[in-house]
Amino acid sequence: MEISRKLAILALSGLIGAGFTACGGDDDDIQISTEGTQGTVTPPTTEPGAVDPTVTGTLAPAEAGKYIENTAKQFEQVCNPQDQKAAVQSLMTIASVFEKYNGDSDDEEDYPYMVSNGVRAIARAVESGDYAGISRAVQQVTNNASFNPYTYRGVYTPVYDAEEDEYAWVKTLESENAIIFRSEQDRVEVSLTMSGDTWTGKFTTNEYDYDYDYDPNTGDYNYTEYDITTHWTVNVPAKMTFVMSHNGQAAASAVVESNYNEGGHTFAIKTSVSVANIQTNGDVSGTDSKVTEKCSATVGSTRVLYSVGEVNGSGLCDRNKIDQLVNAGHVAASAQVDNIFKGATAKVDIIDRIQLNSTCSSLKQIVANGGYNEDVEDEVRAMATALNNNVKTTLKFGNTDFEQGTITWKCMPHSYTSGWGEEWEYTYTWYQADPVITLSDGVDMSLGSFMESGSMQSVVRTLESIRDTYMRAFGMY
């Protein structure tokens, strides 16, 4: 587990790259423009909501459970999957069309393949209520270190290839500012429109491969592993508008405004995305001393989620320092990381009823234990201890100051059984550092079990998405 690399990503791209805004379409005709579409970014709303007058103190555990269950019911009333069904179906159609005309290509650097994967990921995130996942999927298509958008400018349509006896995407028109994939017979169009100045990003990816030789004398294979280092230079437009349409209607749209100054050690990303009645807006910016993040998500007219985060440090946007940390290895990185990282705070609010507030004082112990083997219980327990020593999270209700509980981490076993029949069955067990909630009675309960005690599925998905995002930020994934 390359925790130091994840810390570098945290420093360079903020806690959560999130956001979205509406970009609808009322014209049922497929557009034939070569100029693409321009969108606008909407700032996130992260001001606390009204205080809930029913929360007058620390609730008893049964009352706290009822409060969360009622929150789930309100959440489910707002987040009706039927409202997103048509958009999800359109997204899946768009992904299928891209795959149909892309042959057997599964090259991750191939733009149509990248789009089809991204569109499917957006659809899956919408279905599961994973708002952070929607944002990550959009960024997979728009902000990719191996994708230089200017090299793809043009209009692509399906053209019959007699030799291969199939239709394939072919550039049929030039475009000054857009990448447009258009299939009139399938009523599908996907466009990425570029505008504003450009900034240059230099990225390095490290992979590995191996060669092997067969030794006829021993019957063994001798393996030689080697590293593959790739350097990428990408010219990134300051603004990109991404629209996915089916039958003349925008199934999803996104606007990304970004800037990165390597010499000045600063970056900024503003994003707005809309899928069906879900809208999310985000703003992430960073300097050497501070990285800040704000994100909000609404369904219809109801704000269902917002988050704010701040990382303090020294050299957070200094590529040389980050690269040294990435390449240092666990032991050296754990000794160096707190020279860069000076603490972090984060707040997550769910439908203005549940608030999670977190602080992280140090990453030294977390990094030192970050390379744990999930099959080794003692190693996972050490990671949970490191998190508990350095990450503090409280649970509050209704925008009040009353602490309803704390969230800590415990080493928990997980298992599944596979095979055919009793003779061939086997059980695999692994361990995770899972979040555990402690309410006012001092009794610990896993966050998952606590949430599942009522009709909590929508909130569970949201909390899991938030948990996963921040676990990534702290190097857990």
Side-chain angles (χ1 to χ4, degrees):
M1 180 172 294
E2 299 183 28
I3 190 168
S4 55
R5 180 172 301 280
K6 298 181 192 308
L7 295 175
I9 294 171
L10 164 64
L12 289 174
S13 62
L15 283 172
I16 306 176
F20 313 174
T21 203
C23 183
D26 298 321
D27 188 352
D28 287 338
D29 294 330
I30 297 292
Q31 302 300 304
I32 59 173
S33 169
T34 62
E35 296 304 311
T37 302
Q38 299 285 353
T40 57
V41 169
T42 302
T45 59
T46 57
E47 293 299 319
V51 172
D52 185 346
T54 67
V55 181
T56 58
T58 299
L59 303 183
E63 293 175 323
K66 188 66 175 177
Y67 191 89
I68 293 182
E69 185 173 343
N70 288 336
T71 300
K73 291 178 180 178
Q74 292 185 26
F75 195 96
E76 289 172 346
Q77 288 172 357
V78 173
C79 303
N80 184 352
Q82 292 300 315
D83 295 335
Q84 293 98 38
K85 184 176 180 180
V88 169
Q89 290 175 339
S90 290
L91 289 171
M92 298 305 286
T93 298
I94 292 168
S96 297
V97 169
F98 264 77
E99 293 164 357
K100 180 168 63 173
Y101 301 131
N102 204 39
D104 297 327
S105 174
D106 58 358
D107 185 352
E108 293 182 2
E109 297 168 25
D110 180 78
Y111 188 62
Y113 180 77
M114 191 189 309
V115 170
S116 63
N117 270 4
V119 171
R120 287 193 186 278
I122 293 169
R124 288 193 296 269
V126 171
E127 284 187 307
S128 64
D130 179 3
Y131 302 119
I134 299 173
S135 176
R136 288 192 296 269
V138 168
Q139 292 188 10
Q140 173 183 330
V141 181
T142 57
N143 287 353
N144 188 298
S146 62
F147 167 58
N148 196 331
Y150 287 103
T151 63
Y152 281 89
R153 283 177 296 179
V155 179
Y156 298 78
T157 57
V159 175
Y160 182 69
D161 184 334
E163 184 175 340
E164 297 292 335
D165 190 25
E166 63 181 14
Y167 283 85
W169 292 114
V170 174
K171 186 197 291 191
T172 53
L173 291 171
E174 297 293 336
S175 175
E176 289 294 323
N177 69 338
I179 305 167
I180 302 173
F181 287 83
R182 179 183 297 136
S183 173
E184 294 189 29
Q185 59 265 41
D186 296 293
R187 310 284 296 163
V188 161
E189 178 171 306
V190 173
S191 65
L192 178 65
T193 307
M194 297 157 272
S195 58
D197 295 330
T198 63
W199 56 269
T200 300
K202 296 181 179 180
F203 306 92
T204 299
T205 57
N206 295 296
E207 301 173 294
Y208 71 91
D209 205 343
Y210 60 87
D211 287 328
Y212 61 90
D213 296 310
Y214 176 70
D215 187 340
N217 296 321
T218 63
D220 294 331
Y221 287 93
N222 299 315
Y223 292 89
T224 303
E225 185 175 303
Y226 60 90
D227 294 326
I228 302 174
T229 300
T230 306
H231 301 282
W232 307 89
T233 299
V234 180
N235 295 317
V236 181
K239 180 177 178 180
M240 291 186 283
T241 303
F242 186 47
V243 181
M244 293 157 280
S245 300
H246 180 224
N247 288 331
Q249 299 287 326
S253 58
V255 185
V256 180
E257 294 181 356
S258 63
N259 185 43
Y260 172 55
N261 185 327
E262 185 167 359
H265 298 180
T266 62
F267 78 90
I269 304 172
K270 298 179 180 181
T271 52
S272 293
V273 182
S274 174
V275 183
N277 63 340
I278 301 171
Q279 300 178 27
T280 310
N281 305 296
D283 188 340
V284 185
S285 61
T287 64
D288 272 345
S289 61
K290 183 181 294 184
V291 174
T292 59
E293 173 272 338
K294 295 181 180 180
C295 170
S296 65
T298 62
V299 176
S301 60
T302 302
R303 184 177 67 178
V304 297
L305 172 72
Y306 77 84
S307 66
V308 293
E310 182 176 293
V311 178
N312 296 299
S314 175
L316 291 172
C317 292
D318 187 327
R319 284 292 296 273
N320 291 328
K321 285 187 177 181
I322 298 299
D323 286 344
Q324 290 174 8
L325 187 67
V326 168
N327 297 320
H330 287 294
V331 176
S334 64
Q336 300 172 20
V337 66
D338 281 348
N339 295 329
I340 295 177
F341 178 85
K342 304 296 183 182
T345 61
K347 176 183 178 179
V348 177
D349 180 289
I350 301 169
I351 208 165
D352 281 321
R353 284 178 59 87
I354 297 176
Q355 291 80 42
L356 299 171
N357 295 275
S358 296
T359 62
C360 181
S361 57
S362 169
L363 287 177
K364 180 178 180 178
Q365 188 181 5
I366 296 173
V367 171
N369 291 280
Y372 66 87
N373 184 338
E374 64 180 12
D375 294 331
V376 181
E377 183 177 2
D378 288 344
E379 292 187 14
V380 179
R381 184 175 290 110
M383 186 63 189
T385 299
L387 287 166
N388 288 328
N389 288 342
N390 297 282
V391 180
K392 307 299 180 184
T393 302
T394 60
L395 174 70
K396 297 180 180 181
F397 293 158
N399 293 302
T400 67
D401 293 329
F402 303 113
E403 186 175 303
Q404 305 297 335
T406 59
I407 295 176
T408 56
W409 303 81
K410 278 194 173 183
C411 174
M412 304 288 283
H414 299 264
S415 64
Y416 73 84
T417 300
S418 183
W420 299 271
E422 294 184 5
E423 183 178 354
W424 298 100
E425 278 189 353
Y426 68 93
T427 299
Y428 171 62
T429 301
W430 72 98
Y431 301 89
Q432 289 181 185
D434 287 342
V436 171
I437 188 167
T438 303
L439 295 176
S440 59
D441 60 356
V443 176
D444 290 343
M445 184 183 297
S446 74
L447 187 59
S449 298
F450 181 75
M451 294 301 172
E452 289 167 4
S453 61
S455 54
M456 292 298 300
Q457 292 308 307
S458 294
V459 170
V460 169
R461 288 193 293 268
T462 302
L463 286 176
E464 286 177 344
S465 172
I466 296 164
R467 178 202 65 186
D468 292 348
T469 299
Y470 282 92
M471 286 176 73
R472 286 186 179 89
F474 291 119
M476 289 292 293
Y477 288 154

